[in-house]
Amino acid sequence: MFGFIAVRHGPTRNNIEGKLNGVTDSPIDSSARSLLINTGSQLAEFGVRRILVSPMLRARQSAEVICSLPTFKNLNVEIHAELRELDFGLFEGFSRDQLLESNLAAKYRAWMSLSSDAPSAPEGESWSSAVVRAKAVLEEIVRGRQTCMVIGHGYMLRLIIVTALGGLLPQSGWQFPIQSAAWSWLDRQEGVWRLCRHNVLPQHGTY
């Protein structure tokens, strides 16, 4: 048996303010370190053998903090471009409330809809493109057959989770929120992924 731990990066200023933070390459906030140390301490029991990380700054900084712990310091950090966050296009940098009060409200509602024909974010990445990336990450984990820690982003990690579970629309990720510095655990048995724990928070709370 093997599996993967999906860890969302520590909070950025945009996260704290409730704003979409996709391709904006923001650093983690000063509050993130203690949260991530707590998160890493919770994961020592899983026997992680690989650490896969998004190339974006907030994910790499989060990996550096977690890998400062004795449990993980001798593991190589593998940067995977497929783990980058979705491109939110014109929604980037705005909060949900701001978008719902703007001239983008109808497009935002359509993008969030649980529909097989939900559109992309305007000038952003399509759901189908992001699903291709999610599948590539899962295939990499299955090939290695080792338990991995996957450090990435809220939307992309949720998309990886719903893709692993199968039979769900990409937008079903709305039903699997994962907060900053929180983690989820999926294992694989007899060719099937199971979501065993989800959105486990550091003891000090997250954004």
mmCIF file with all atom_site columns, all heavy atoms in Angstrom, residues 58-76:
data_model
loop_
_atom_site.group_PDB
_atom_site.id
_atom_site.type_symbol
_atom_site.label_atom_id
_atom_site.label_alt_id
_atom_site.label_comp_id
_atom_site.label_asym_id
_atom_site.label_entity_id
_atom_site.label_seq_id
_atom_site.pdbx_PDB_ins_code
_atom_site.Cartn_x
_atom_site.Cartn_y
_atom_site.Cartn_z
_atom_site.occupancy
_atom_site.B_iso_or_equiv
_atom_site.pdbx_formal_charge
_atom_site.auth_seq_id
_atom_site.auth_comp_id
_atom_site.auth_asym_id
_atom_site.auth_atom_id
_atom_site.pdbx_PDB_model_num
ATOM 1   N N   . ARG A 1 58 ? 5.317  30.272 -3.164 1.00 0.00 ? 58 ARG A N   1
ATOM 2   C CA  . ARG A 1 58 ? 4.673  29.972 -1.886 1.00 0.00 ? 58 ARG A CA  1
ATOM 3   C C   . ARG A 1 58 ? 4.731  28.480 -1.556 1.00 0.00 ? 58 ARG A C   1
ATOM 4   O O   . ARG A 1 58 ? 4.816  28.107 -0.381 1.00 0.00 ? 58 ARG A O   1
ATOM 5   C CB  . ARG A 1 58 ? 3.236  30.478 -1.879 1.00 0.00 ? 58 ARG A CB  1
ATOM 6   C CG  . ARG A 1 58 ? 2.342  29.981 -3.008 1.00 0.00 ? 58 ARG A CG  1
ATOM 7   C CD  . ARG A 1 58 ? 1.103  30.858 -3.076 1.00 0.00 ? 58 ARG A CD  1
ATOM 8   N NE  . ARG A 1 58 ? 0.123  30.461 -4.065 1.00 0.00 ? 58 ARG A NE  1
ATOM 9   C CZ  . ARG A 1 58 ? 0.114  30.849 -5.331 1.00 0.00 ? 58 ARG A CZ  1
ATOM 10  N NH1 . ARG A 1 58 ? 1.107  31.630 -5.779 1.00 0.00 ? 58 ARG A NH1 1
ATOM 11  N NH2 . ARG A 1 58 ? -0.851 30.488 -6.149 1.00 0.00 ? 58 ARG A NH2 1
ATOM 12  N N   . ALA A 1 59 ? 4.714  27.631 -2.583 1.00 0.00 ? 59 ALA A N   1
ATOM 13  C CA  . ALA A 1 59 ? 4.832  26.186 -2.357 1.00 0.00 ? 59 ALA A CA  1
ATOM 14  C C   . ALA A 1 59 ? 6.268  25.812 -2.028 1.00 0.00 ? 59 ALA A C   1
ATOM 15  O O   . ALA A 1 59 ? 6.527  24.996 -1.127 1.00 0.00 ? 59 ALA A O   1
ATOM 16  C CB  . ALA A 1 59 ? 4.346  25.424 -3.584 1.00 0.00 ? 59 ALA A CB  1
ATOM 17  N N   . ARG A 1 60 ? 7.231  26.395 -2.758 1.00 0.00 ? 60 ARG A N   1
ATOM 18  C CA  . ARG A 1 60 ? 8.640  26.079 -2.488 1.00 0.00 ? 60 ARG A CA  1
ATOM 19  C C   . ARG A 1 60 ? 9.058  26.551 -1.099 1.00 0.00 ? 60 ARG A C   1
ATOM 20  O O   . ARG A 1 60 ? 9.779  25.847 -0.384 1.00 0.00 ? 60 ARG A O   1
ATOM 21  C CB  . ARG A 1 60 ? 9.526  26.705 -3.568 1.00 0.00 ? 60 ARG A CB  1
ATOM 22  C CG  . ARG A 1 60 ? 9.371  26.030 -4.937 1.00 0.00 ? 60 ARG A CG  1
ATOM 23  C CD  . ARG A 1 60 ? 10.379 26.564 -5.954 1.00 0.00 ? 60 ARG A CD  1
ATOM 24  N NE  . ARG A 1 60 ? 10.032 27.878 -6.436 1.00 0.00 ? 60 ARG A NE  1
ATOM 25  C CZ  . ARG A 1 60 ? 10.682 28.998 -6.169 1.00 0.00 ? 60 ARG A CZ  1
ATOM 26  N NH1 . ARG A 1 60 ? 11.758 28.968 -5.372 1.00 0.00 ? 60 ARG A NH1 1
ATOM 27  N NH2 . ARG A 1 60 ? 10.302 30.160 -6.673 1.00 0.00 ? 60 ARG A NH2 1
ATOM 28  N N   . GLN A 1 61 ? 8.581  27.729 -0.694 1.00 0.00 ? 61 GLN A N   1
ATOM 29  C CA  . GLN A 1 61 ? 8.888  28.204 0.657  1.00 0.00 ? 61 GLN A CA  1
ATOM 30  C C   . GLN A 1 61 ? 8.270  27.292 1.710  1.00 0.00 ? 61 GLN A C   1
ATOM 31  O O   . GLN A 1 61 ? 8.893  27.011 2.748  1.00 0.00 ? 61 GLN A O   1
ATOM 32  C CB  . GLN A 1 61 ? 8.387  29.634 0.832  1.00 0.00 ? 61 GLN A CB  1
ATOM 33  C CG  . GLN A 1 61 ? 9.178  30.666 0.048  1.00 0.00 ? 61 GLN A CG  1
ATOM 34  C CD  . GLN A 1 61 ? 8.626  32.061 0.237  1.00 0.00 ? 61 GLN A CD  1
ATOM 35  O OE1 . GLN A 1 61 ? 7.415  32.260 0.417  1.00 0.00 ? 61 GLN A OE1 1
ATOM 36  N NE2 . GLN A 1 61 ? 9.511  33.050 0.208  1.00 0.00 ? 61 GLN A NE2 1
ATOM 37  N N   . SER A 1 62 ? 7.062  26.830 1.455  1.00 0.00 ? 62 SER A N   1
ATOM 38  C CA  . SER A 1 62 ? 6.408  25.912 2.399  1.00 0.00 ? 62 SER A CA  1
ATOM 39  C C   . SER A 1 62 ? 7.184  24.608 2.505  1.00 0.00 ? 62 SER A C   1
ATOM 40  O O   . SER A 1 62 ? 7.347  24.045 3.603  1.00 0.00 ? 62 SER A O   1
ATOM 41  C CB  . SER A 1 62 ? 4.966  25.648 1.954  1.00 0.00 ? 62 SER A CB  1
ATOM 42  O OG  . SER A 1 62 ? 4.215  26.852 1.954  1.00 0.00 ? 62 SER A OG  1
ATOM 43  N N   . ALA A 1 63 ? 7.673  24.109 1.371  1.00 0.00 ? 63 ALA A N   1
ATOM 44  C CA  . ALA A 1 63 ? 8.470  22.882 1.376  1.00 0.00 ? 63 ALA A CA  1
ATOM 45  C C   . ALA A 1 63 ? 9.752  23.072 2.184  1.00 0.00 ? 63 ALA A C   1
ATOM 46  O O   . ALA A 1 63 ? 10.172 22.175 2.933  1.00 0.00 ? 63 ALA A O   1
ATOM 47  C CB  . ALA A 1 63 ? 8.797  22.455 -0.052 1.00 0.00 ? 63 ALA A CB  1
ATOM 48  N N   . GLU A 1 64 ? 10.371 24.233 2.051  1.00 0.00 ? 64 GLU A N   1
ATOM 49  C CA  . GLU A 1 64 ? 11.601 24.504 2.800  1.00 0.00 ? 64 GLU A CA  1
ATOM 50  C C   . GLU A 1 64 ? 11.355 24.434 4.304  1.00 0.00 ? 64 GLU A C   1
ATOM 51  O O   . GLU A 1 64 ? 12.168 23.890 5.057  1.00 0.00 ? 64 GLU A O   1
ATOM 52  C CB  . GLU A 1 64 ? 12.146 25.888 2.424  1.00 0.00 ? 64 GLU A CB  1
ATOM 53  C CG  . GLU A 1 64 ? 12.757 25.954 1.027  1.00 0.00 ? 64 GLU A CG  1
ATOM 54  C CD  . GLU A 1 64 ? 13.141 27.371 0.647  1.00 0.00 ? 64 GLU A CD  1
ATOM 55  O OE1 . GLU A 1 64 ? 13.050 28.263 1.524  1.00 0.00 ? 64 GLU A OE1 1
ATOM 56  O OE2 . GLU A 1 64 ? 13.529 27.588 -0.519 1.00 0.00 ? 64 GLU A OE2 1
ATOM 57  N N   . VAL A 1 65 ? 10.233 24.981 4.740  1.00 0.00 ? 65 VAL A N   1
ATOM 58  C CA  . VAL A 1 65 ? 9.917  24.957 6.173  1.00 0.00 ? 65 VAL A CA  1
ATOM 59  C C   . VAL A 1 65 ? 9.672  23.528 6.642  1.00 0.00 ? 65 VAL A C   1
ATOM 60  O O   . VAL A 1 65 ? 10.239 23.077 7.648  1.00 0.00 ? 65 VAL A O   1
ATOM 61  C CB  . VAL A 1 65 ? 8.692  25.846 6.476  1.00 0.00 ? 65 VAL A CB  1
ATOM 62  C CG1 . VAL A 1 65 ? 8.290  25.710 7.942  1.00 0.00 ? 65 VAL A CG1 1
ATOM 63  C CG2 . VAL A 1 65 ? 8.985  27.300 6.137  1.00 0.00 ? 65 VAL A CG2 1
ATOM 64  N N   . ILE A 1 66 ? 8.841  22.793 5.923  1.00 0.00 ? 66 ILE A N   1
ATOM 65  C CA  . ILE A 1 66 ? 8.531  21.420 6.326  1.00 0.00 ? 66 ILE A CA  1
ATOM 66  C C   . ILE A 1 66 ? 9.779  20.548 6.289  1.00 0.00 ? 66 ILE A C   1
ATOM 67  O O   . ILE A 1 66 ? 10.010 19.718 7.180  1.00 0.00 ? 66 ILE A O   1
ATOM 68  C CB  . ILE A 1 66 ? 7.412  20.841 5.441  1.00 0.00 ? 66 ILE A CB  1
ATOM 69  C CG1 . ILE A 1 66 ? 6.084  21.562 5.738  1.00 0.00 ? 66 ILE A CG1 1
ATOM 70  C CG2 . ILE A 1 66 ? 7.256  19.333 5.645  1.00 0.00 ? 66 ILE A CG2 1
ATOM 71  C CD1 . ILE A 1 66 ? 4.946  21.187 4.819  1.00 0.00 ? 66 ILE A CD1 1
ATOM 72  N N   . CYS A 1 67 ? 10.607 20.751 5.282  1.00 0.00 ? 67 CYS A N   1
ATOM 73  C CA  . CYS A 1 67 ? 11.811 19.925 5.144  1.00 0.00 ? 67 CYS A CA  1
ATOM 74  C C   . CYS A 1 67 ? 12.919 20.313 6.110  1.00 0.00 ? 67 CYS A C   1
ATOM 75  O O   . CYS A 1 67 ? 13.970 19.660 6.141  1.00 0.00 ? 67 CYS A O   1
ATOM 76  C CB  . CYS A 1 67 ? 12.315 19.966 3.703  1.00 0.00 ? 67 CYS A CB  1
ATOM 77  S SG  . CYS A 1 67 ? 11.226 19.107 2.553  1.00 0.00 ? 67 CYS A SG  1
ATOM 78  N N   . SER A 1 68 ? 12.704 21.344 6.893  1.00 0.00 ? 68 SER A N   1
ATOM 79  C CA  . SER A 1 68 ? 13.665 21.659 7.954  1.00 0.00 ? 68 SER A CA  1
ATOM 80  C C   . SER A 1 68 ? 13.490 20.724 9.148  1.00 0.00 ? 68 SER A C   1
ATOM 81  O O   . SER A 1 68 ? 14.356 20.660 10.027 1.00 0.00 ? 68 SER A O   1
ATOM 82  C CB  . SER A 1 68 ? 13.496 23.117 8.406  1.00 0.00 ? 68 SER A CB  1
ATOM 83  O OG  . SER A 1 68 ? 12.267 23.302 9.110  1.00 0.00 ? 68 SER A OG  1
ATOM 84  N N   . LEU A 1 69 ? 12.386 19.985 9.175  1.00 0.00 ? 69 LEU A N   1
ATOM 85  C CA  . LEU A 1 69 ? 12.135 19.034 10.260 1.00 0.00 ? 69 LEU A CA  1
ATOM 86  C C   . LEU A 1 69 ? 12.982 17.779 10.048 1.00 0.00 ? 69 LEU A C   1
ATOM 87  O O   . LEU A 1 69 ? 13.195 17.340 8.912  1.00 0.00 ? 69 LEU A O   1
ATOM 88  C CB  . LEU A 1 69 ? 10.662 18.659 10.302 1.00 0.00 ? 69 LEU A CB  1
ATOM 89  C CG  . LEU A 1 69 ? 9.698  19.799 10.666 1.00 0.00 ? 69 LEU A CG  1
ATOM 90  C CD1 . LEU A 1 69 ? 8.260  19.360 10.450 1.00 0.00 ? 69 LEU A CD1 1
ATOM 91  C CD2 . LEU A 1 69 ? 9.912  20.234 12.110 1.00 0.00 ? 69 LEU A CD2 1
ATOM 92  N N   . PRO A 1 70 ? 13.455 17.154 11.116 1.00 0.00 ? 70 PRO A N   1
ATOM 93  C CA  . PRO A 1 70 ? 14.317 15.976 10.986 1.00 0.00 ? 70 PRO A CA  1
ATOM 94  C C   . PRO A 1 70 ? 13.715 14.856 10.147 1.00 0.00 ? 70 PRO A C   1
ATOM 95  O O   . PRO A 1 70 ? 14.427 14.171 9.415  1.00 0.00 ? 70 PRO A O   1
ATOM 96  C CB  . PRO A 1 70 ? 14.528 15.542 12.438 1.00 0.00 ? 70 PRO A CB  1
ATOM 97  C CG  . PRO A 1 70 ? 14.350 16.789 13.237 1.00 0.00 ? 70 PRO A CG  1
ATOM 98  C CD  . PRO A 1 70 ? 13.302 17.586 12.521 1.00 0.00 ? 70 PRO A CD  1
ATOM 99  N N   . THR A 1 71 ? 12.414 14.667 10.223 1.00 0.00 ? 71 THR A N   1
ATOM 100 C CA  . THR A 1 71 ? 11.759 13.579 9.487  1.00 0.00 ? 71 THR A CA  1
ATOM 101 C C   . THR A 1 71 ? 11.966 13.697 7.986  1.00 0.00 ? 71 THR A C   1
ATOM 102 O O   . THR A 1 71 ? 12.048 12.683 7.283  1.00 0.00 ? 71 THR A O   1
ATOM 103 C CB  . THR A 1 71 ? 10.249 13.570 9.786  1.00 0.00 ? 71 THR A CB  1
ATOM 104 O OG1 . THR A 1 71 ? 10.054 13.474 11.198 1.00 0.00 ? 71 THR A OG1 1
ATOM 105 C CG2 . THR A 1 71 ? 9.553  12.399 9.088  1.00 0.00 ? 71 THR A CG2 1
ATOM 106 N N   . PHE A 1 72 ? 12.044 14.916 7.471  1.00 0.00 ? 72 PHE A N   1
ATOM 107 C CA  . PHE A 1 72 ? 12.033 15.136 6.024  1.00 0.00 ? 72 PHE A CA  1
ATOM 108 C C   . PHE A 1 72 ? 13.325 15.731 5.473  1.00 0.00 ? 72 PHE A C   1
ATOM 109 O O   . PHE A 1 72 ? 13.467 15.851 4.253  1.00 0.00 ? 72 PHE A O   1
ATOM 110 C CB  . PHE A 1 72 ? 10.861 16.058 5.656  1.00 0.00 ? 72 PHE A CB  1
ATOM 111 C CG  . PHE A 1 72 ? 9.532  15.600 6.179  1.00 0.00 ? 72 PHE A CG  1
ATOM 112 C CD1 . PHE A 1 72 ? 8.868  16.319 7.160  1.00 0.00 ? 72 PHE A CD1 1
ATOM 113 C CD2 . PHE A 1 72 ? 8.962  14.427 5.719  1.00 0.00 ? 72 PHE A CD2 1
ATOM 114 C CE1 . PHE A 1 72 ? 7.651  15.886 7.656  1.00 0.00 ? 72 PHE A CE1 1
ATOM 115 C CE2 . PHE A 1 72 ? 7.739  13.981 6.206  1.00 0.00 ? 72 PHE A CE2 1
ATOM 116 C CZ  . PHE A 1 72 ? 7.077  14.716 7.181  1.00 0.00 ? 72 PHE A CZ  1
ATOM 117 N N   . LYS A 1 73 ? 14.266 16.097 6.318  1.00 0.00 ? 73 LYS A N   1
ATOM 118 C CA  . LYS A 1 73 ? 15.402 16.882 5.844  1.00 0.00 ? 73 LYS A CA  1
ATOM 119 C C   . LYS A 1 73 ? 16.317 16.132 4.880  1.00 0.00 ? 73 LYS A C   1
ATOM 120 O O   . LYS A 1 73 ? 17.051 16.755 4.117  1.00 0.00 ? 73 LYS A O   1
ATOM 121 C CB  . LYS A 1 73 ? 16.202 17.425 7.022  1.00 0.00 ? 73 LYS A CB  1
ATOM 122 C CG  . LYS A 1 73 ? 16.931 16.380 7.841  1.00 0.00 ? 73 LYS A CG  1
ATOM 123 C CD  . LYS A 1 73 ? 17.714 17.042 8.965  1.00 0.00 ? 73 LYS A CD  1
ATOM 124 C CE  . LYS A 1 73 ? 18.502 16.027 9.790  1.00 0.00 ? 73 LYS A CE  1
ATOM 125 N NZ  . LYS A 1 73 ? 19.271 16.680 10.865 1.00 0.00 ? 73 LYS A NZ  1
ATOM 126 N N   . ASN A 1 74 ? 16.268 14.800 4.887  1.00 0.00 ? 74 ASN A N   1
ATOM 127 C CA  . ASN A 1 74 ? 17.129 14.029 3.984  1.00 0.00 ? 74 ASN A CA  1
ATOM 128 C C   . ASN A 1 74 ? 16.425 13.621 2.690  1.00 0.00 ? 74 ASN A C   1
ATOM 129 O O   . ASN A 1 74 ? 17.001 12.892 1.880  1.00 0.00 ? 74 ASN A O   1
ATOM 130 C CB  . ASN A 1 74 ? 17.670 12.791 4.698  1.00 0.00 ? 74 ASN A CB  1
ATOM 131 C CG  . ASN A 1 74 ? 18.633 13.149 5.823  1.00 0.00 ? 74 ASN A CG  1
ATOM 132 O OD1 . ASN A 1 74 ? 19.413 14.100 5.710  1.00 0.00 ? 74 ASN A OD1 1
ATOM 133 N ND2 . ASN A 1 74 ? 18.568 12.418 6.922  1.00 0.00 ? 74 ASN A ND2 1
ATOM 134 N N   . LEU A 1 75 ? 15.196 14.062 2.505  1.00 0.00 ? 75 LEU A N   1
ATOM 135 C CA  . LEU A 1 75 ? 14.448 13.728 1.289  1.00 0.00 ? 75 LEU A CA  1
ATOM 136 C C   . LEU A 1 75 ? 14.642 14.815 0.242  1.00 0.00 ? 75 LEU A C   1
ATOM 137 O O   . LEU A 1 75 ? 14.692 16.001 0.559  1.00 0.00 ? 75 LEU A O   1
ATOM 138 C CB  . LEU A 1 75 ? 12.957 13.580 1.603  1.00 0.00 ? 75 LEU A CB  1
ATOM 139 C CG  . LEU A 1 75 ? 12.570 12.442 2.553  1.00 0.00 ? 75 LEU A CG  1
ATOM 140 C CD1 . LEU A 1 75 ? 11.061 12.467 2.809  1.00 0.00 ? 75 LEU A CD1 1
ATOM 141 C CD2 . LEU A 1 75 ? 12.984 11.081 2.000  1.00 0.00 ? 75 LEU A CD2 1
ATOM 142 N N   . ASN A 1 76 ? 14.752 14.393 -1.006 1.00 0.00 ? 76 ASN A N   1
ATOM 143 C CA  . ASN A 1 76 ? 14.873 15.350 -2.103 1.00 0.00 ? 76 ASN A CA  1
ATOM 144 C C   . ASN A 1 76 ? 13.523 16.000 -2.394 1.00 0.00 ? 76 ASN A C   1
ATOM 145 O O   . ASN A 1 76 ? 12.480 15.328 -2.363 1.00 0.00 ? 76 ASN A O   1
ATOM 146 C CB  . ASN A 1 76 ? 15.378 14.671 -3.376 1.00 0.00 ? 76 ASN A CB  1
ATOM 147 C CG  . ASN A 1 76 ? 16.814 14.231 -3.259 1.00 0.00 ? 76 ASN A CG  1
ATOM 148 O OD1 . ASN A 1 76 ? 17.622 14.878 -2.581 1.00 0.00 ? 76 ASN A OD1 1
ATOM 149 N ND2 . ASN A 1 76 ? 17.153 13.131 -3.912 1.00 0.00 ? 76 ASN A ND2 1
#
